[in-house]
């Protein structure tokens, strides 16, 4: 493990601080960068995420994808967690937290909007960043691709009905531009680039050449992650400083939900005797969120300055540090799954 990977949590913490400081010192710069978006997808963030997941795509061996169907349990776990458990537990937890536990601290209208934002996060499982978490947990890249692809196909049909049911509204319009653009940017294009790169490197049958290329890319992948953290926290720096109590309040149920879903998924993966390189990515898909889609829908339904939009933004802010902690947990408990397989 290289220097970047070994102290990744420290680098992320420093980048969070740097993002907040820079966002308050040079807000105009971050406003300008934030405006470089199309269909609610920020193009600069998309570039950094692309840098992150490209090395993962180079690892994908298309000749091995056909064997994924022989191990359906990991795919089944992902789908059950994402579509039958996570959206409903998020809605229940949001209702219990804001309507019962802290009902006296939050006005009813704000509480309703915070719950709505949480629900939108819960109904939007991750598309892009999961490739990063899979790589950090030494996940099977072929299996991860299939898990994400099937998940995206289901999201096209299931997102609007489930969100509408849980929000109690019937006129939710899926921002198709955001959804389709994100899939193309974060899955299709890097996948094609990775496949082409791998083909060129394997032409001479030299696996050492491929391995050397992947090792060279590793630091760039981590740098892309750190740059993304700086941008995300820089974009919301003024909100973090001006509304720390509100952000902290929203973050509590999001943290409980994320760790809770991970525990459920990880325990189920152990019980199903999944190999760790399938179990870890499956759990990461279920616990992380497709924040571009959630933010876009929250803004279109409730407005840019609504509590729902703020809740989805808080989801973005807590995701990277929380997911890194889950990556650490998954890596330290990998030996559990060796015993499960045995």
């Amino acid at each position: 493990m290289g220097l970047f990977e070994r102290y990744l949590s420290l680098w992320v913490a420093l980048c969070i601080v740097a993002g907040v400081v820079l966002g308050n010192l040079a807000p105009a710069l971050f406003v300008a960068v934030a405006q470089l978006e199309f269909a609610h997808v920020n193009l600069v963030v998309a570039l950094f995420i692309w840098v992150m997941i490209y090395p993962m795509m180079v690892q994908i061996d298309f000749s091995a994808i056909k064997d994924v169907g022989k191990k359906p349990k990991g795919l089944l776990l992902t789908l059950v967690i994402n579509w039958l458990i996570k959206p409903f537990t998020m809605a229940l937890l949001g209702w219990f937290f804001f309507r019962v536990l802290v009902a006296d601290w939050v006005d009813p209208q704000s509480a309703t909007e915070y719950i709505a934002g949480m629900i939108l996060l819960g109904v939007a499982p991750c598309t892009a960043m999961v490739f990063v978490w899979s790589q950090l947990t030494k996940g099977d890249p072929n299996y991860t691709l299939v898990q994400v692809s099937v998940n995206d196909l289901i999201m096209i049909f299931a997102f609007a009905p489930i969100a509408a049911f849980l929000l109690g509204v019937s006129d939710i319009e899926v921002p198709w531009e955001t959804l389709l653009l994100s899939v193309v940017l974060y899955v299709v294009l890097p996948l094609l680039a990775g496949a082409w790169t791998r083909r060129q490197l394997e032409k001479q049958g030299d696996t050492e050449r491929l391995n050397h290329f992947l090792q060279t890319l590793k630091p760039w992948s981590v740098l892309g992650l750190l740059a993304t953290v700086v941008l995300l926290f820089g974009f919301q720096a003024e909100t973090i400083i001006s509304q720390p109590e509100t952000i902290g309040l929203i973050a509590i149920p999001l943290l409980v939900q994320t760790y809770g879903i991970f525990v459920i998924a990880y325990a189920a993966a152990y019980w199903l005797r999944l190999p760790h390189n399938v179990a870890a990515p499956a759990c990461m898909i279920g616990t992380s969120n497709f924040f571009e889609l959630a933010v876009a829908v929250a803004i279109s339904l409730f407005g840019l300055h609504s509590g729902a939009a703020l809740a989805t933004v808080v989801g973005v802010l807590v995701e990277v540090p929380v997911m890194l902690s889950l990556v650490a947990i998954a890596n330290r408990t990998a030996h559990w799954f060796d015993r499960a397989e045995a």
Side-chain angles (χ1 to χ4, degrees), residues 116-117 120 292-304 306-310 312:
L120 291 173
E292 293 94 345
L293 181 60
V295 171
V297 176
I299 292 173
S300 65
L301 285 177
F302 300 96
L304 179 61
S306 65
L310 178 61
T312 57

Side-chain angles (χ1 to χ4, degrees), residues 83 150-162 174 176 179:
W83 301 110
V150 173
N151 207 56
D152 286 346
L153 287 175
I154 292 177
M155 181 157 41
I156 291 173
F157 300 100
F159 176 86
I162 295 177
V174 177
W176 293 107
L179 179 56

Side-chain angles (χ1 to χ4, degrees), residues 139-222:
D140 181 338
N142 307 312
Y143 207 102
T144 301
L145 174 64
V146 174
Q147 287 172 309
V148 171
S149 300
V150 173
N151 207 56
D152 286 346
L153 287 175
I154 292 177
M155 181 157 41
I156 291 173
F157 300 100
F159 176 86
I162 295 177
F165 172 74
L166 292 175
L167 291 173
V169 296
S170 57
D171 58 347
I172 288 183
E173 294 185 10
V174 177
W176 293 107
E177 285 186 338
T178 302
L179 179 56
L180 297 177
L181 178 62
S182 296
V183 171
V184 170
L185 280 178
Y186 300 146
V187 180
V188 177
L189 289 180
L191 178 62
L192 292 175
W196 181 85
T197 303
R198 186 182 182 95
R199 184 178 179 183
Q200 297 302 312
L201 293 172
E202 288 182 335
K203 271 186 176 179
Q204 299 178 354
D206 186 2
T207 57
E208 189 64 31
R209 186 182 177 190
L210 174 61
N211 293 332
H212 176 73
F213 181 74
L214 290 172
Q215 288 297 321
T216 303
L217 285 180
K218 263 190 174 182
W220 287 101
S221 182
V222 176

